């Protein structure tokens, strides 16, 4: 089995055992494992090329460079915000899609940022030295200062994004240096009806028939980027049983959490988040019933809510699986036994389990204060986000970099101003809807007698406050936001804008709770996790992969279906299947363009497929590449079992769901006539 | 401490230890315990008088007779459905209240039924004999037949409602014979603004300022009922530390559930119900934003949803309390050890724990089929309820009584026809809203590829189906419903009403799942619970009380505040407090009538109070009476800790919340000028 010939001869069924769990960092990819299992040699040059051809959307997705002229492929749902922002009541790019027939037609997305990971540096020793022997606030201040300093040194230009990332829960600290591109223009998006065919009912399911793709282009100095690294295009797509790689940015996994942390997720965080999002979903669907314009402007919110909802439900499902949870409890207990026999790291790690338990108990008690007083769960409106940024930005920028709130440290400012100066339209009725709803939740969860609620509402109702603030604020005006940002503290203090006044009003309470959170919960968990990670590290080294943290990772696996009970789920669907599933009614209505093109299409073309690669939310938009680093697919989802992937990977059931590059080629050519794009993907064809 | 003098001398603090858990049946009330603890002698005559003065609203509340002329007191929220049904766009009795100045102004509620418990008979031996040695379907058929037969023999007139009730989970079967009154007229209800002052934010909280009261009158042969038994009225209300009783119909508790059953509640049933209701709440609130008429007609739905939501959240909170759940696990494990040493009942009871576990696992797997295929969670519209009743009623009434679906056995028919022939108005837009929403959930939870979903939706969307059915059906016409009911199978078969056709279409699937449920889940749990109960009984007898089952129970306790963390919560609020809490904005807006009457009121009058009596949902509307059987209060809620009462009673925290009879007297006299009612409550005053 360790020889190439033998590996090739393996049947698809036998491959199951080889499907490898893991979201590996590029500097610790298990090349030997892949070679041993698949007979494929992965070189450092290959890894560098794949890394530099991969991209991240700072807003929370993955992507890939696919042409020498800076063309970037990602999912439709990753640029839906941009399409919504560019649309108007007359031009609905969500419903009807978008295609820039010429370079001149490419339009800038108001808040899209593309990042390319250019360098990884280990800074563990420096960070740990800064915090050695410290606890509580001193620990967290020292850590923040050390990280701020490292990032500041790296941040030699606004075109860089430097992040010190914690891996293995503080076992390792790496400095990730990204090239940052903020001029990103939309090139192509299909209609929502096919990008999200099957809608919420089919989301996280398979078989599936979605063309969840979009192309954007990165510009530099007003011109298309000259990309040194990009993926070549496979017109044929992948084959059943083939080795594939997914390079992307899994947002976060919780596979190393302690049982106390998992219990908090299972018993408190997930059920409460699900209830909150369910209510918001009900309200938003019904808001959409007010009319087509309301439907258009709230589509992005609804998609986000339903998508998260399904993900959280899947997470919860995994944690209430008795066998699964018992496994976690048993593993922790076995690990603690090992620790008891480890005089070096054991005592600190064992103590850390208790201190994390205490921090989680405290978190449970103060969770509503964290969400509503510290956070802005009660103030769901773009205007409040602007106002808080202006108020805090003015204050924080007067301080030395390393003592600022971390989101206002120099390395973060380009992203902050990109959001603050977004030209995306804002619809006041929608803002009132969201703010009223969230203020009502604030009152409900904190209780009407909470001093913060009295401060926020006084004798007004949530709807009174929302209407007054949204109608009163002038922050829709971009020039005003720029003026206030540039004017700093004096300008903010002189402003008589009611939303600025509101943000000032709630700021002291928010900062007070944040301080408590950082000292008594966050730093305790961080420090405790570090102690546990250090002990685990001493036992395992980097032979295991770190939990996902929205940093670039490489997964590998095979194209392969699975068994659902007694039913075999085949790994591929075809274009024909989409036409069979079409009912003409949303969300199962194929767009006009597809119905019209049906006769021209090769209906046997593979459409979507599944693979055993280990992914999670944030991997949306990741390229699926073959051993030759050619794009064979585009990740847009996982199956329902992938949702347990937050806490563990089950190779029998967990599957990545991707669009086949063959379907992308067929659709671009025969449905959308997108010759410009095809010529770029397959030059000289 | 066992002497009267000593008991009287006890301070309020010392009383805590005496606060007694328990919702006792009238035929097993622990008179000795009360006498021992409080020095108060409870006689059988007293128990009979209190029982016969108590009443139940068949729709799910408690109540009490408070005058010789059939005046009945209950909560506002218990008659809100009636007020909504009697209201129109012009006359809004919810917002403005209702007061019949003369007897002629009393208006019949379309579907209100008052029950009075006239007799309790033990039928345990007869039921158990019928099922001895049987399993699965045979067990459940035999039990249903035996119970049907007993009820049928008892049911000598439509004026009776005979229910065989299972107590101690099948440890005892009692026949409860109720006098049934279906002519119930509304006499008085205050404005919603004061009946539910504080709204959802204050619900299940205390301090509280609600006048959650209504008066209805029972008529017999078109005349006010001459009531033999009724409670006299205490104008003074209760005192801190006083012994009080609550006589009412707690709907259901789960204190005897096995750990497997509790796990199902904690991990599956409650979180999923909370998510469903949260979504419905969001949708309904936003439906209300369509306009004042939409707000009016959906107020009852929203209240019900929010009330259940808060209750379920409280239930879940109790079950995810680690200490609480560990206590349940430990108690079961200790009980199992006892069983292992009990050769008589032990083996059957131990086996029952496993079979219940298996049944709960099966329930988890098929729960969506139970909700949507067997039940009508996907068909939320009055029209479907009518159609299913007509379709099934026609079929079932051709069968011998004891083999019918239990809801169509003779004893149930008066209630069935009362609902079916309700004159309450139906609003088609609201029906479409509810049906669309619930069909969407059906598709989501079963998945679009489920055969039942395909049968229900075909190639239509949920909104298509809802609109077509609601606009097509003629079942709004009461005469048509009567004709179809009376015409039986032939009439139903000949009908071309689309909702009837729909109910016929889904009936076979529904009945098939129901059969599976009854044989493989329900009967297994029932039989298993019986075996466990029998073993428990052999150990404990009736020294403990049975879980609540919406049968009449008597609780006792004391008027007493509690300690919330370090804060003492006083047992009484005053009318003055309501004026302090008034913001003028819903839900903290006092009605005009209150603002106008403020100068006349004695603001020191006690308003709401708390007591240690053990209650649960269903107790709403229960009288709080003193040892002289005088009404001193009206139960309308429990505090937040009472919600854990489903699974256990914590005397330190769990409190009943009631309106003080002093506040009722003051308000009826000085705010509402309801002299007619006061004269009845306090005759010859």
């Amino acid at each position: 089995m360790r020889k190439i010939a033998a590996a090739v001869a393996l049947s698809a069924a036998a491959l199951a055992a080889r499907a490898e769990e893991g979201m590996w960092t590029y500097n610790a990819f298990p090349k030997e494992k892949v070679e041993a299992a698949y007979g494929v040699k992965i070189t450092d040059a290959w890894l560098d090329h794949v890394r530099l051809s991969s991209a991240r959307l700072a807003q929370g997705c993955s992507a890939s460079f696919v042409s020498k002229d800076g063309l970037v492929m990602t999912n439709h749902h990753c640029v839906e915000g941009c399409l919504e922002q560019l649309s108007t009541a007359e031009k609905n790019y969500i419903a009807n899609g978008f295609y820039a027939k010429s370079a001149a037609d490419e339009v800038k997305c108001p808040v899209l940022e593309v990042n390319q990971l250019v360098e990884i540096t280990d800074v563990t020793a420096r960070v740990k030295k800064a915090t050695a022997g410290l606890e509580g606030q001193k620990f967290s201040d020292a850590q923040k200062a050390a990280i701020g300093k490292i990032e500041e040194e790296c941040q030699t230009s606004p075109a860089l994004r430097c992040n010190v990332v914690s891996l293995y829960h503080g076992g390792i600290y790496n400095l990730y240096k990204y090239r940052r591109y903020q001029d990103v223009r939309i090139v192509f998006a299909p209609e929502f009806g096919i990008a999200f065919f099957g809608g919420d009912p089919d989301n996280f399911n398979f078989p599936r028939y979605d063309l969840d793709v979009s192309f954007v282009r990165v510009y530099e100095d007003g011109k298309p980027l000259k990309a040194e690294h990009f993926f070549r295009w496979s017109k044929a797509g992948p084959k059943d049983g083939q080795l594939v790689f997914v390079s992307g940015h899994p947002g976060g996994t919780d596979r190393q959490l302690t049982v106390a942390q998992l219990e908090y997720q299972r018993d408190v965080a997930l059920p409460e988040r699900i209830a909150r999002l369910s209510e918001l979903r009900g309200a938003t669907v019904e808001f959409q019933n007010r009319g087509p314009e309301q439907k258009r402007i709230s589509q992005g919110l609804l998609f986000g809510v339903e998508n998260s909802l399904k993900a959280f439900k899947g997470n919860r499902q995994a944690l209430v699986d008795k066998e699964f949870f018992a496994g976690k409890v048993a593993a922790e207990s076995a690990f603690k036994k090992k620790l008891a026999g480890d005089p070096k790291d054991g005592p600190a790690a064992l103590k850390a389990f208790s201190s994390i338990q205490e921090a989680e108990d405290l978190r449970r008690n103060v969770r509503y204060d964290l969400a509503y007083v510290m956070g802005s769960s009660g103030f769901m409106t773009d205007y409040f986000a602007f106002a808080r940024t202006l108020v805090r930005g003015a204050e924080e920028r007067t301080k030395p970099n390393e003592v600022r709130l971390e989101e206002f440290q120099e390395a973060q400012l380009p992203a902050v101003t990109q959001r603050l100066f977004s030209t995306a339209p804002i619809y006041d009725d929608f803002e009132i809807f969201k703010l009223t709803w969230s203020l009502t939740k604030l009152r409900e969860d904190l209780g009407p007698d909470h001093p913060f609620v009295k401060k926020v509402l006084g004798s007004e109702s949530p709807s009174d406050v929302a209407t007054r603030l949204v109608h009163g604020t002038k922050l829709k005006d971009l020039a005003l936001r720029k003026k206030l940002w540039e004017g700093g503290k004096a300008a903010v203090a002189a402003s008589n804008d009611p939303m600025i006044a509101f943000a000032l009003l709630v700021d002291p309470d928010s900062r007070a709770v944040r301080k408590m959170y950082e000292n008594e919960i966050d730093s305790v968990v961080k420090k405790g996790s570090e102690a546990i990670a250090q002990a685990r590290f001493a036992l395992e080294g980097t032979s295991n992969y770190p939990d996902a943290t929205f940093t670039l990772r490489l997964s590998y696996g095979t194209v392969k279906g699975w068994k659902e009970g007694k039913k075999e789920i085949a790994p591929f669907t075809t274009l024909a299947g989409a036409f069979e599933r079409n009912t003409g009614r949303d969300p199962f209505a194929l767009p006009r363009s597809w119905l019209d093109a049906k006769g021209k299409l090769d209906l046997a073309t593979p459409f979507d497929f599944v693979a055993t690669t280990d992914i999670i939310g944030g991997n949306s938009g990741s390229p699926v590449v073959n051993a030759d680093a050619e794009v064979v697919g585009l990740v847009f989802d996982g199956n329902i079992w992938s949702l347990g992937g937050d806490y563990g990977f089950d190779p029998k059931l967990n599957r990545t769901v991707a669009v086949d590059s063959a379907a992308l080629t067929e659709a671009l050519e025969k449905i959308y006539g997108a010759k410009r794009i095809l010529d770029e993907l397959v030059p000289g064809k």
Side-chain angles (χ1 to χ4, degrees), chain A:
Chain A
M1 277 180 66
R2 302 269 158 156
K3 289 181 195 164
I4 298 179
V8 168
L10 278 172
S11 73
L15 285 170
R18 293 193 334 201
E20 295 287 351
E21 169 180 351
M23 303 168 175
W24 301 92
T25 51
Y26 270 77
N27 51 352
F29 187 75
K31 291 176 281 191
E32 340 52 55
K33 274 198 193 177
V34 174
E35 186 171 1
Y38 292 88
V40 170
K41 204 172 171 72
I42 300 298
T43 63
D44 286 341
W46 188 94
L47 286 173
D48 287 344
H49 172 66
V50 172
R51 168 170 59 82
L52 290 163
S53 303
S54 302
R56 178 171 82 165
L57 303 187
Q59 287 69 26
C61 273
S62 300
S64 57
F65 289 97
V66 287
S67 91
K68 65 178 178 51
D69 295 315
L71 192 68
V72 166
M73 177 171 74
T74 184
N75 290 143
H76 180 278
H77 74 264
C78 294
V79 302
E80 206 180 329
C82 166
L83 294 168
E84 199 169 284
Q85 289 155 4
L86 296 179
S87 292
T88 61
E90 293 72 39
K91 295 180 300 179
N92 189 337
Y93 297 131
I94 305 257
N96 307 318
F98 180 94
Y99 174 42
K101 287 217 178 76
S102 71
D105 298 327
E106 298 179 356
V107 187
K108 185 171 187 302
C109 285
V111 282
L112 216 53
E113 174 181 311
V114 167
N115 298 155
Q116 178 195 33
L117 179 60
V118 291
E119 200 178 287
I120 303 176
T121 318
D122 187 25
V123 294
T124 311
R126 199 169 154 191
V127 173
K128 292 213 173 175
K129 196 175 158 203
T131 60
L134 303 178
E135 308 252 354
Q137 179 163 8
K138 282 184 181 155
F139 172 88
S140 85
D141 286 353
Q143 189 179 73
K144 213 170 69 176
I147 288 173
K149 193 101 183 68
I150 295 168
E151 290 178 350
E152 195 182 6
E153 287 169 15
C154 161
Q155 189 77 38
T156 52
S157 138
L160 293 176
R161 181 189 261 265
C162 295
N163 293 138
V164 171
V165 302
S166 154
L167 298 169
Y168 301 97
H169 296 277
I172 284 183
Y173 289 89
N174 277 181
L175 172 65
Y176 274 51
K177 189 198 272 190
Y178 293 93
R179 182 71 172 80
R180 174 206 302 272
Y181 299 101
Q182 291 191 311
D183 185 352
V184 182
R185 308 190 188 175
I186 182 83
V187 178
F188 173 83
E191 306 89 337
F192 182 75
I194 189 63
F196 198 43
F197 186 75
D200 180 67
D202 275 3
N203 198 12
F204 292 109
N205 283 323
F206 193 85
R208 197 71 172 284
Y209 311 87
D210 278 9
L211 197 81
D212 192 351
V213 67
S214 68
F215 291 95
V216 295
R217 190 184 309 282
V218 167
Y219 280 67
E220 196 174 32
D221 303 325
K223 283 181 210 139
L225 176 75
K226 291 295 153 209
E228 265 185 73
H229 290 275
F230 61 90
F231 291 114
R232 277 169 302 124
W233 190 260
S234 161
K235 283 168 66 181
K239 294 281 164 281
D240 191 3
Q242 182 180 331
L243 167 66
V244 288
F245 301 82
V246 170
S247 176
H249 295 78
T253 52
D254 287 336
R255 295 183 189 172
Q256 299 298 337
L257 291 194
T258 69
V259 168
Q261 290 174 301
L262 290 172
E263 277 173 346
Y264 181 76
Q265 292 300 314
R266 181 191 68 185
D267 294 341
V268 184
L270 287 169
E272 291 188 354
R273 253 184 240 157
I274 290 168
R276 179 181 163 97
L277 288 176
S278 293
E279 188 177 332
L280 182 55
R281 177 199 202 183
T284 307
V285 167
E286 197 45 32
F287 177 82
Q288 298 205 329
N289 286 337
R290 290 191 196 173
E293 181 61 1
Q294 281 89 348
K295 182 161 184 175
R296 184 182 70 75
I297 63 179
S298 62
Q299 201 58 40
L301 175 67
L302 183 61
F303 171 79
V305 166
E306 292 191 330
N307 196 50
S308 303
L309 204 43
K310 219 157 183 179
F312 291 148
K313 285 182 181 176
N315 296 161
R316 204 187 71 79
Q317 217 48 55
L319 292 181
V320 299
D321 184 297
K322 278 179 264 180
E323 207 177 311
F324 179 85
F325 205 85
K328 287 282 185 184
V329 172
E332 181 166 304
S333 154
F335 181 55
K336 281 180 174 172
K337 272 199 195 114
K338 278 194 204 166
L339 291 177
D342 173 358
K344 184 171 165 283
D345 294 316
L350 284 169
K351 188 165 159 269
F353 278 103
S354 316
S355 58
I356 289 176
Q357 173 77 66
E358 281 162 32
E360 293 301 324
D361 289 345
L362 175 59
R363 189 198 302 273
R364 193 186 281 231
N365 287 337
V366 300
R367 65 192 189 272
Y368 292 132
D369 289 276
L370 300 184
Y372 293 105
V373 186
M374 177 178 87
S376 52
S377 296
F379 312 132
M380 268 178 64
T381 163
D382 294 352
Y383 293 131
F384 181 79
F386 292 151
R388 173 156 277 181
T389 299
L390 290 167
V391 164
R392 292 201 166 162
E395 175 80 28
E396 295 299 308
R397 283 176 300 149
T398 63
K399 302 178 184 171
N401 190 50
E402 66 276 12
V403 303
R404 295 183 194 170
L405 294 175
E406 52 194 340
E407 65 272 29
F408 290 101
Q409 291 186 340
E410 286 300 322
Q412 313 301 331
L413 292 183
V416 168
T417 50
Q418 192 191 34
R419 280 192 303 273
L420 181 62
F421 302 151
S422 161
T423 56
I426 302 176
Y427 304 93
D428 283 356
D429 282 358
F430 187 43
E431 299 307 303
I432 291 173
F433 161 79
K434 289 184 294 176
L435 184 53
T436 301
W437 184 83
S438 54
L439 285 169
T440 307
K441 298 306 291 180
L442 169 140
R443 182 177 67 187
E444 177 182 342
D445 288 339
L446 292 177
D449 296 319
H450 192 294
F452 189 70
V453 176
K454 291 190 168 169
K455 188 178 232 182
V456 165
L457 294 181
S459 69
E460 289 179 290
S461 71
S463 140
D464 290 341
V465 173
T467 309
R468 177 172 58 75
L469 291 177
V470 170
H471 283 161
T473 185
K474 299 276 179 285
L475 293 178
K476 191 182 279 184
D477 178 1
L478 174 57
L480 174 65
R481 298 201 297 272
K482 286 200 166 148
K483 213 180 100 192
L484 286 168
W485 178 257
E486 282 147 21
K489 274 189 93 163
V492 166
S495 163
N496 59 2
D497 191 279
M499 193 61 92
I500 294 283
F502 185 77
L504 283 166
L505 174 76
V506 299
D507 211 43
D509 303 74
S510 173
R511 284 177 180 263
V513 175
R514 179 152 171 180
K515 195 163 184 184
M516 179 276 290
Y517 167 74
E518 288 179 351
N519 297 340
E520 296 175 41
I521 300 177
D522 192 46
S523 66
V524 175
V525 171
K526 271 190 189 145
K527 200 180 147 69
S529 304
E530 261 199 35
I532 294 171
Q534 191 163 317
R536 201 186 292 280
F537 233 62
L539 294 164
E540 297 172 358
T542 54
S543 67
N544 210 340
Y545 57 94
D547 259 333
T549 50
F550 200 39
T551 47
L552 187 64
R553 302 295 176 90
L554 189 61
S555 302
Y556 64 96
T558 53
V559 174
K560 181 174 161 45
W562 79 95
K563 232 175 152 178
E564 186 77 47
K566 287 174 185 161
K567 209 166 132 196
E568 290 283 354
I569 310 291
F572 289 93
T573 60
T574 62
L575 293 182
F579 288 93
E580 283 158 26
R581 201 166 182 72
N582 174 45
T583 65
R585 260 84 163 191
D586 177 45
F588 298 100
L590 285 178
R592 190 73 257 158
S593 62
W594 280 61
L595 300 175
D596 289 346
K598 187 178 178 187
K600 290 184 280 180
L601 295 172
D602 176 358
L603 293 174
T605 307
F607 196 165
D608 294 342
F609 69 92
V610 288
T612 63
T613 39
D614 190 0
I615 58 148
I616 204 80
N619 267 115
S620 280
S622 298
V624 184
V625 301
N626 60 23
D628 296 329
E630 290 174 331
V631 170
V632 294
L634 168 61
V635 174
F636 69 98
D637 207 357
N639 69 352
I640 200 81
W641 304 107
S642 74
L643 291 168
D646 254 24
Y647 310 108
F649 183 83
D650 182 348
K652 286 200 302 297
L653 295 169
N654 187 329
R655 291 293 179 276
T656 297
V657 180
V659 191
D660 197 302
S661 62
L664 291 168
T665 311
E666 185 79 358
L668 286 171
E669 181 180 346
K670 299 188 185 160
I671 299 174
Y672 298 103
K675 194 170 173 322
R676 265 187 77 215
I677 300 174
L678 274 174
D679 287 349
E680 272 194 77
L681 296 175
V682 194
K685 174 199 124 175

